[in-house]
């Protein structure tokens, strides 16, 4: 029993050898420590200060056929008012000259206006704006494509608004028709009243001025036809609106308009029979009164339509986006957890990658071979020392970004600590494997840099994982940073609990790497 | 000579050969090291000394041959056996960013020594005269101090068998002498030492010396034995009053205890160097011969050639033999 306890005790003493040694070696480099703590903090700080989330404004020169054409005149007005991202850099009739200016970087975009726009549209074709750029960055090319789409939509919207306004002007002319119809109805009404009075005084058989009455009736019918044609535009618009967005229910106003027009037509038909049956004047008078009421109703509906802003008619929808989160995030908030994870992975991985190589270069591996020291003791000792160092570094960095820069910490610190330890554990595995397969420290640093570069592109640090093709995401899941960034963003920014479906694979991944590193170290410590 | 018992035999190497690829670095090396002895392995750089040590401590597996160290194969050393062995590699293998004390502490920890180790560490640092420097960073130590620190770290767990690979390389003669004083003290304390060196003169401190050249162990002999092997016997220098003539030299050569050739020591022809079977018996016989030939002897003494010359002779002889 005693030797077993002594053996166990020696196991821990040997582990502690590396624990102290590694920590002391790091602590003896204060400049390195300062860089490790201040570096990431300053990177984030300057990034936060310097980053501008504004859409880039493009200096745009326009190329057109004729500087004096109607389009050229309109261009001045449009180009300067389309939006802040379009900086009007002039117009020219020479495409080559404009493209030269683009090559020299004097402008960002050349927009060639279509020729003969009116005839092109009349020929049932779209008029095309040709945009030329000189970008090599695919993101900027995408931006220009979006820019082109947004601004062409704006041009189209303005044209549509203009046409809609013209339609409203037409509709406003219906007011005169209504007034004229009401006047005709009023005259007819007065004529009928006179007829009624004549009949009352002279008794049945007295003559009424039926010709004049017929003229009034025909005039009223003509006005109603005109009105009907104009109102139908309004009705069609309302019908379409109701069909698309009315949830299947008829809009009361639209239905009312339709009924009124039909009633007006019916009533006019009954009035046209007036000439044949002048004696029914009382009924006709009543019809006329109702007709007058119908015209009032139509007038009111028409006014409603005229009151609609043309902008709303051509763009009936707009969007408003709100987050369900309780905190308003800044760009720094989003990147801070990822920076911490990536930095910890890189630092710890590099320390571990250099660790065994340096022991070999220094010659201390020879001492380890001869000493009663196992690969497991060596590896555990080094793992623990770097884990402690990484954890302290993480604590300082997280405190700085949370309490110094105000990055939200909505989740629990315990969850964050577990994630950090798991990321460090897995990163150490990669680092030690690099260390055990590298011959020189230069080689080890190069491998570490490759892992860093891979992490920048594949871990979700810059681009979301959803932007990667599914099979390529296998690379992402071989990087501890991928797990760490996902987990830390969720915990810190969303306040969610530790997602075990991501956390446990990270721990298992780290354990696998530890076993592989152990096997490699054992093999290299058995003999050279 | 009596064969050592198993208990006395600490290292036994038989037909050791080590190849890296097609290059044979060590070829057919045989030697034994008995308890309490200092065995020196002397040879020029690249002669295979370090490879031999590394095979003995288990860093390299021999390509051919057998090794027993403390009764065990180095590849199968148990932690118990490792605790009985101390190894000082050729280069400084400790940590420049740690202090002398911290390096000692590290060495003590990897050997699993208990935390109550201050006394032992202090003793060792005093032993190598580094006591006043224990708070110094290793990177600020001189070359000699680094070697002493390495030695102290090697001794930290009180090993009974020491393998020291060129412990005196690159340090001044005074310090080299002090190192050998330390080794002698360790020997007196019961340690067995296997020491490699490029300095042929250090052979004098060893009980037995192995001479290595081109990966081969030419011989293992005592320091005196080496001289005898190098020159074919012991060397005697004599100076006479009269010039010795050619016929005198011919007569001397014919004496049974004198080995050829007889060489002159000066232009006057009065000084001679002779290789004899045994100096102690040859010198009185030479005095008698001078008297019988009416030659006045001015001086006669045994000459101990420096080991550098011994080594050159041995290597030359080996080349001639092969």
């Amino acid at each position: 029993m005693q030797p077993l306890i002594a053996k166990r005790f020696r196991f821990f003493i040997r582990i502690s050898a590396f624990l102290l040694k590694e920590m002391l070696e790091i602590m003896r480099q204060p400049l390195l420590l300062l860089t490790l703590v201040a570096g990431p903090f300053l990177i984030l700080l300057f990034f936060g200060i310097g980053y501008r989330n504004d859409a880039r404004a493009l200096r745009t020169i326009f190329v057109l056929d004729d500087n004096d054409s109607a389009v050229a005149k309109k261009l001045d007005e449009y180009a300067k008012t389309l939006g802040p991202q379009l900086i009007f850099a002039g117009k020219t009739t020479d495409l080559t000259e404009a493209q030269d200016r683009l090559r020299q970087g004097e402008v960002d975009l050349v927009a060639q206006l279509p020729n003969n726009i009116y005839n092109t549209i009349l020929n049932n074709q779209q008029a095309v704006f040709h945009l030329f750029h000189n970008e090599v960055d695919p993101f900027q090319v995408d931006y220009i494509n979006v820019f082109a789409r947004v601004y062409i939509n704006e041009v189209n919207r303005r044209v549509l608004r203009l046409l809609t306004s013209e339609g409203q002007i037409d509709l406003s002319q219906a007011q005169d028709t209504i007034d004229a119809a009401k006047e005709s109805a009023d005259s007819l009404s007065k004529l009928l009243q006179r007829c009624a009075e004549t009949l009352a005084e002279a008794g049945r058989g007295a003559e009424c001025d039926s010709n004049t009455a017929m003229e009034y009736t025909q005039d009223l019918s003509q006005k109603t036809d005109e009105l009907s044609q104009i109102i139908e535009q309004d009705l069609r618009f309302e019908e379409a609106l109701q069909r698309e967005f009315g949830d299947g229910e008829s809009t009361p106003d639209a239905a009312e308009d339709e009924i009124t027009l039909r009633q007006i037509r019916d009533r006019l038909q009954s009035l046209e029979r007036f000439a044949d049956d002048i004696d029914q004047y009382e009924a006709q008078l009543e019809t006329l009164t109702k007709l007058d009421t119908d015209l009032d109703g139509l007038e009111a509906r028409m006014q409603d339509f005229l009151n609609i802003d043309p902008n709303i008619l051509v763009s009936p929808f707009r969007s408003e986006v709100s987050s369900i989160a309780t905190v308003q995030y800044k760009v720094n908030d989003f990147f801070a957890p990822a920076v911490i994870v990536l930095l910890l992975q890189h630092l710890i991985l590099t320390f571990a990658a250099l660790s065994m190589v340096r022991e070999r270069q220094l010659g201390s591996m020879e001492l380890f071979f001869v000493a009663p020291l196992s690969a497991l003791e060596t590896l555990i000792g080094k793992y623990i020392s770097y884990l402690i160092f990484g954890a302290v570094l993480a604590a300082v960095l997280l405190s700085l970004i949370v309490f110094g820069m105000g990055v939200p910490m909505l989740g629990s610190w315990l969850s964050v600590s577990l994630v950090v330890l798991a990321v460090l554990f897995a990163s150490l595995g990669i680092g030690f494997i690099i260390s055990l397969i590298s011959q020189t420290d230069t080689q080890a640093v190069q491998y570490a840099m490759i892992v860093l570069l891979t992490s920048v592109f594949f871990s979700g640090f810059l681009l979301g994982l959803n932007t990667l093709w599914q099979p390529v995401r296998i690379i992402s899941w071989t990087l501890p940073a991928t797990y760490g960034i996902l987990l830390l963003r969720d915990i810190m920014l969303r306040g969610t609990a530790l997602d075990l479906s991501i956390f446990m694979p990270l721990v298992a991944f780290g354990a696998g790497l530890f076993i592989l590193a152990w096997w490699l170290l054992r093999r290299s410590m058995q003999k050279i | 000579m009596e064969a050592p018992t198993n208990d006395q035999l600490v290292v036994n190497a038989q037909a050791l050969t080590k190849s890296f690829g097609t290059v044979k670095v060590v070829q057919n090396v045989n030697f034994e090291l008995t308890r309490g002895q200092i065995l020196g392995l002397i040879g020029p750089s690249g002669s295979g000394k370090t490879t031999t040590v590394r095979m003995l401590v288990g860093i390299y597996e021999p390509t051919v041959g057998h090794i027993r160290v403390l009764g065990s194969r180095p590849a199968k050393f148990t932690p118990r056996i490792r605790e009985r062995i101390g190894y000082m590699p050729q280069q400084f293998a400790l940590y420049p960013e740690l202090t002398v004390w911290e390096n000692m502490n590290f060495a003590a920890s990897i050997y699993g020594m208990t935390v109550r180790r201050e006394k032992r560490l202090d003793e060792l640092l005093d032993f190598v005269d580094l006591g006043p420097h224990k708070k110094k960073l290793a990177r600020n130590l001189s070359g000699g101090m680094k070697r002493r620190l390495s030695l102290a770290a090697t001794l930290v767990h009180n090993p009974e068998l020491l393998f020291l690979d060129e412990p005196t390389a690159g340090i001044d003669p005074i310090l080299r002498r002090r190192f050998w004083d330390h080794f002698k003290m360790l020997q007196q304390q019961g340690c067995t030492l296997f020491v490699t060196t490029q300095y042929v003169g250090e052979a004098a401190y060893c009980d037995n010396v192995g001479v290595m050249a081109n990966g081969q162990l030419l011989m293992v002999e005592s320091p005196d034995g080496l001289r005898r092997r190098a020159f074919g016997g012991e060397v005697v220098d004599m100076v006479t009053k009269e010039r010795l003539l050619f016929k005198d030299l011919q007569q001397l050569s014919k004496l049974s205890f004198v080995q050829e050739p007889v060489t002159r020591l000066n232009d006057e022809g009065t000084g001679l160097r002779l290789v004899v079977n045994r100096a102690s018996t040859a010198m009185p016989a030479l005095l008698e011969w001078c008297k019988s030939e009416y030659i006045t002897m001015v001086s006669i003494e045994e000459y101990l050639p420096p080991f550098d010359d011994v080594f050159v002779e041995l290597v030359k002889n080996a080349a001639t033999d092969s």
Side-chain angles (χ1 to χ4, degrees):
Chain A
M1 198 64 186
Q2 195 68 22
L4 187 68
I5 293 170
K7 203 175 160 185
R8 291 265 161 84
F9 190 57
R10 285 201 189 106
F11 176 82
F12 289 112
I13 287 177
R14 286 182 194 122
I15 286 173
S16 74
F18 291 99
L19 188 67
L20 277 172
K21 191 267 285 186
E22 302 291 350
M23 297 299 281
L24 284 169
E25 278 196 312
I26 294 169
M27 300 297 281
R28 291 275 149 75
Q29 302 173 69
L31 197 63
L32 171 73
L33 285 177
L34 185 71
T35 313
L36 293 182
V37 174
F41 179 72
L42 289 176
I43 288 169
L44 270 175
L45 190 70
F46 289 133
F47 181 70
I49 293 168
Y51 183 78
R52 291 286 173 269
N53 197 20
D54 303 329
R56 178 186 164 198
L58 298 171
R59 295 163 298 168
T60 309
I61 185 166
F62 290 87
V63 180
L64 30 76
D65 265 357
D66 181 2
N67 265 337
D68 299 322
S69 65
V71 174
K73 281 168 193 150
K74 274 279 172 201
L75 175 67
D76 288 343
E77 176 202 332
Y78 268 50
K80 288 170 187 170
T81 57
L82 277 177
Q85 278 72 46
L86 195 156
I87 298 172
F88 182 63
K91 57 187 175 184
T92 177
T93 53
D94 187 349
L95 178 63
T96 313
E97 179 213 327
Q99 288 180 334
D100 283 344
R101 287 185 66 185
L102 181 66
R103 279 189 201 96
Q104 286 158 16
E106 291 173 15
V107 294
D108 304 310
L109 207 60
V110 173
Q112 188 186 23
L113 268 59
N115 296 333
N116 209 348
I117 297 169
Y118 177 70
N119 285 333
T120 307
I121 295 168
L122 278 188
N123 287 335
N124 199 25
Q125 287 179 335
Q126 284 184 309
V128 179
F129 280 74
H130 283 287
L131 300 180
F132 300 93
H133 65 80
N134 193 25
E135 297 294 337
V136 290
D137 179 353
F139 292 103
Q140 289 301 319
V141 174
D142 285 346
Y143 173 73
I144 288 173
N145 280 322
V146 172
F147 170 90
R149 220 165 28 243
V150 167
Y151 276 70
I152 284 298
N153 279 344
E154 177 59 19
V155 172
N156 285 338
R157 202 179 66 85
R158 286 193 183 192
V159 171
L160 202 58
R161 190 180 64 190
L162 185 74
L163 296 176
T164 308
S165 305
E166 291 293 332
Q168 283 183 312
I169 290 166
D170 282 349
L171 195 60
S172 67
Q173 287 167 356
Q175 184 65 50
D176 298 339
T177 313
I178 288 176
D179 290 344
K182 284 171 85 173
E183 200 178 321
S184 296
D186 189 50
S187 302
L188 184 60
S189 175
K190 283 175 180 164
L191 181 70
L192 284 174
Q193 276 179 351
R194 276 202 304 278
C195 284
E197 284 165 10
T198 307
L199 280 172
E201 286 169 10
R204 288 190 69 84
E207 288 257 332
C208 199
D209 187 358
S210 58
N211 287 335
T212 309
M214 187 55 79
E215 276 173 22
Y216 284 140
T217 306
Q218 282 170 353
D219 185 48
L220 189 60
S221 178
Q222 192 186 338
K223 296 282 185 303
T224 308
D225 281 345
E226 285 173 21
L227 196 61
S228 176
Q229 279 174 12
I230 297 166
I231 292 293
E232 269 176 13
Q233 286 178 16
D234 176 29
L235 278 178
R236 275 199 295 276
F237 174 81
E238 287 190 359
E239 274 170 14
L241 203 63
Q242 187 268 335
R243 192 170 56 245
E244 291 296 322
F245 309 108
D247 294 334
E249 288 177 17
S250 170
T251 312
D253 289 345
E256 205 173 277
D257 279 349
E258 206 169 4
I259 290 163
T260 307
L261 270 175
R262 200 165 56 239
Q263 283 175 343
I264 288 169
R265 284 195 200 98
D266 289 347
R267 281 170 189 143
L268 279 170
Q269 278 174 5
S270 69
L271 284 173
E272 279 167 3
R273 289 195 298 273
F274 171 74
D276 303 331
D277 195 5
I278 195 74
D279 293 343
Q280 297 297 317
Y281 62 90
E282 280 180 353
Q284 306 299 349
L285 265 175
E286 196 181 329
T287 302
L288 273 174
T289 308
K290 285 178 181 169
L291 187 66
D292 197 45
T293 311
D294 291 343
L295 285 171
D296 284 345
L298 264 182
E299 191 179 7
R301 289 302 311 138
M302 196 182 66
Q303 205 55 52
D304 285 348
F305 182 71
L306 285 172
N307 284 342
I308 300 174
D309 186 335
N311 277 323
I312 291 170
L313 283 177
V314 295
S315 303
F317 299 105
R318 70 184 179 90
S319 60
E320 280 181 4
V321 180
S322 312
S323 169
I324 56 168
T326 51
V327 178
Q328 291 293 313
Y329 302 113
K330 300 187 288 287
V331 176
N332 253 11
D333 299 343
F334 175 72
F335 279 105
V339 169
I340 298 286
V341 168
L342 197 66
L343 208 95
L344 286 175
Q345 177 193 280
H346 179 63
L347 287 177
I348 291 301
L349 189 147
T350 309
F351 270 112
L354 288 171
S355 170
M356 292 297 182
V357 176
R358 288 216 169 130
E359 299 281 13
R360 228 175 5 237
Q361 285 180 336
L362 197 63
S364 32
M365 282 299 264
E366 282 193 34
L367 294 179
F368 302 165
F369 291 139
V370 182
L373 184 71
S374 70
L376 187 65
E377 287 162 342
T378 310
L379 205 60
I380 290 177
K382 283 181 176 281
Y383 255 80
I384 293 175
S385 61
Y386 287 129
L387 275 176
I388 292 173
F389 169 67
V392 171
L393 186 65
V396 173
L397 288 175
L398 281 165
S399 303
L400 277 173
I401 64 158
V402 172
F403 301 114
M405 294 174 63
V407 172
M409 170 59 89
L410 305 178
S412 84
W413 280 95
L414 177 67
S415 300
V416 169
S417 309
L418 289 172
V419 172
V420 165
L421 284 175
V423 168
L424 292 173
F425 179 59
S427 306
L428 279 173
I430 297 177
F432 280 118
I433 289 166
I434 287 175
S435 195
L436 288 162
I437 60 170
S438 301
Q439 299 302 315
T440 62
D441 52 358
T442 314
Q443 209 176 28
V445 168
Q446 281 171 347
Y447 285 143
M449 290 307 290
I450 287 171
V451 176
L452 174 67
L453 203 62
T454 314
S455 302
V456 167
F457 287 107
F458 292 93
S459 68
F461 176 75
L462 280 181
L463 310 166
L465 290 184
N466 56 328
T467 59
L468 296 174
W469 184 42
Q470 195 78 28
V472 174
R473 285 186 212 170
I474 293 169
I475 300 170
S476 303
W477 296 113
T478 60
L479 299 164
T482 306
Y483 303 84
I485 289 171
L486 281 173
L487 288 167
L488 224 54
R489 272 185 184 151
D490 275 355
I491 295 166
M492 289 178 69
L493 305 182
R494 292 198 175 102
T496 55
L498 184 63
D499 185 347
L500 290 178
S501 67
I502 301 174
F503 179 73
M504 290 315 289
L506 174 61
V507 174
F509 179 50
L513 290 170
F514 176 84
I515 291 167
L516 185 58
W518 179 29
W519 179 75
L520 285 172
L521 184 61
R522 254 190 95 188
R523 206 181 59 161
S524 72
M525 278 178 77
Q526 274 168 356
K527 57 181 172 288
I528 295 174
Chain B
M1 192 173 157
E2 209 174 294
T5 61
N6 277 348
D7 189 42
Q8 287 175 316
L9 199 61
V10 178
V11 178
N12 182 14
Q14 297 296 324
L16 277 190
T17 297
K18 178 67 185 176
S19 303
F20 292 107
T22 54
V23 181
K24 279 187 178 173
V25 180
V26 172
Q27 296 179 59
N28 195 30
V29 166
N30 297 279
F31 67 90
E32 291 176 347
L33 173 59
T34 51
R35 190 171 300 282
Q37 269 200 336
I38 297 179
L39 174 62
L41 200 58
I42 295 176
S45 179
S47 59
K49 301 185 301 291
T50 298
T51 306
T52 304
V53 177
R54 287 181 171 177
M55 282 193 283
L56 295 175
V57 295
I59 296 172
Y60 291 157
E61 180 90 12
T63 312
V64 178
H66 302 282
I67 311 172
R68 280 282 182 279
V69 175
L70 297 170
S72 178
R73 273 182 58 205
K76 301 284 177 192
F77 277 165
T78 60
R80 277 268 175 235
I81 287 183
R82 288 175 192 276
E83 281 168 14
R84 294 165 65 192
I85 294 173
Y87 170 56
M88 179 177 166
Q90 194 173 333
Q91 66 182 111
F92 181 69
L94 294 168
Y95 301 98
E97 297 304 326
L98 301 191
T99 63
V100 168
W101 182 262
E102 287 160 356
N103 268 304
M104 290 293 286
N105 234 331
F106 175 76
S109 292
I110 63 170
Y111 278 92
M113 287 178 70
T114 58
V115 285
R116 289 178 193 162
R117 57 176 79 140
E118 284 85 359
K119 195 168 167 239
R120 171 76 183 154
L121 300 190
D122 277 330
E123 280 171 5
L124 280 169
L125 288 176
D126 289 341
F127 176 66
V128 295
D129 301 324
L130 281 177
H133 305 285
K134 62 183 181 184
K135 288 183 180 168
K136 257 190 190 173
L137 288 180
R139 69 175 145 93
N140 296 331
L141 297 178
S142 67
M145 289 164 105
K146 281 181 182 170
R147 300 303 291 165
R148 279 185 277 159
L149 174 59
S150 289
L151 179 62
T154 307
L155 301 174
V156 76
H157 59 292
N158 200 16
E160 62 184 84
L161 171 61
L162 283 168
F163 291 97
L164 310 174
D165 191 7
E166 300 202 17
T168 55
I171 55 175
D172 63 80
I174 297 168
L175 196 60
R176 286 210 318 255
R177 177 61 194 259
R178 290 183 66 186
F179 258 80
W180 279 100
D181 290 344
H182 288 318
F183 300 158
K184 284 288 182 189
M185 283 170 69
L186 289 167
Q187 187 185 23
Q188 284 160 17
Q189 288 165 15
C191 276
T192 306
L193 289 92
F194 182 97
V195 185
T196 71
T197 179
Q198 285 186 46
Y199 301 109
V200 181
E202 291 178 354
Y205 301 110
C206 304
D207 297 313
N208 279 309
V209 180
V211 178
M212 277 199 93
N214 301 319
Q216 290 177 312
L217 185 63
L218 303 179
M219 68 202 63
V220 180
E221 281 283 358
S222 65
D224 288 341
L226 276 187
R227 283 199 182 94
R228 271 199 295 276
R229 287 280 291 268
F231 295 98
E234 292 174 350
V235 183
V236 172
D237 285 354
M238 58 182 264
V239 179
T240 58
K241 195 174 178 184
E242 299 83 12
R243 176 181 171 81
L244 293 169
L245 303 174
F246 181 67
K247 68 172 179 61
D248 299 325
L249 300 186
Q250 278 186 318
Q251 279 184 22
L252 276 172
S253 304
K254 285 175 185 165
L255 293 174
S256 61
F257 55 85
V258 175
Q259 312 286 316
E260 282 193 277
V262 177
T263 50
R264 288 188 184 277
L265 282 175
N266 52 27
D267 293 338
E268 293 81 32
T270 56
L272 283 181
R273 174 163 293 169
L274 302 104
V275 177
V276 297
N277 286 345
R278 188 174 287 273
S280 57
T281 54
M283 284 194 291
L286 284 168
L287 276 170
E288 280 299 316
W289 178 82
C290 284
K291 208 182 278 179
S292 65
E293 296 295 323
Y294 303 102
I295 296 168
T296 314
M297 179 77 79
V298 177
S299 68
I300 183 164
E301 61 182 355
E302 185 182 357
Y303 170 66
L304 296 176
F307 276 103
D308 293 302
D309 295 345
V310 173
F311 183 74
V312 170
E313 281 299 317
L314 287 170
V315 174
K316 211 191 294 176
N317 294 346
T320 311
D321 291 348
S322 66

